[in-house]
Amino acid sequence: MKALMFRLTSQWTFIRVFYLLTGLFIASQAFIEKQWFGVLFGTYFFSMGLFAFGCASGTCFSGACEKPTVNKVD
């Protein structure tokens, strides 16, 4: 529970706020227009911003997923 509260209350970046607001806008507009797939799509982006997973956590382009290079000695 502490880890969840830490994610919700810290490490807010511009991209995280952007995902949160964009997801909220998409979901609300889709709900008004009764486009239910759009509600799911917007909810996904909203939750990315709120819970900081995916690209909203900043790990997509930071190189955290790359394998370290190993130098072999002949």
Side-chain angles (χ1 to χ4, degrees):
M1 188 69 174
K2 288 183 181 182
L4 178 63
M5 289 306 294
F6 178 74
R7 277 191 164 224
L8 290 174
T9 58
S10 66
Q11 300 175 347
W12 282 90
T13 61
F14 171 75
I15 195 71
R16 194 170 165 192
V17 173
F18 177 75
Y19 275 118
L20 184 81
L21 295 177
T22 303
L24 183 63
F25 177 75
I26 292 171
S28 64
Q29 289 300 309
F31 182 78
I32 290 169
E33 296 294 326
K34 296 180 182 169
Q35 299 292 323
W36 307 119
F37 180 74
V39 173
L40 293 174
F41 187 69
T43 303
Y44 171 74
F45 280 101
F46 178 80
S47 61
M48 267 179 58
L50 184 64
F51 298 114
F53 65 86
C55 290
S57 65
T59 59
C60 285
F61 302 107
S62 67
C65 296
E66 294 178 9
K67 293 181 181 179
T69 58
V70 178
N71 294 330
K72 290 186 177 181
V73 178
D74 290 312

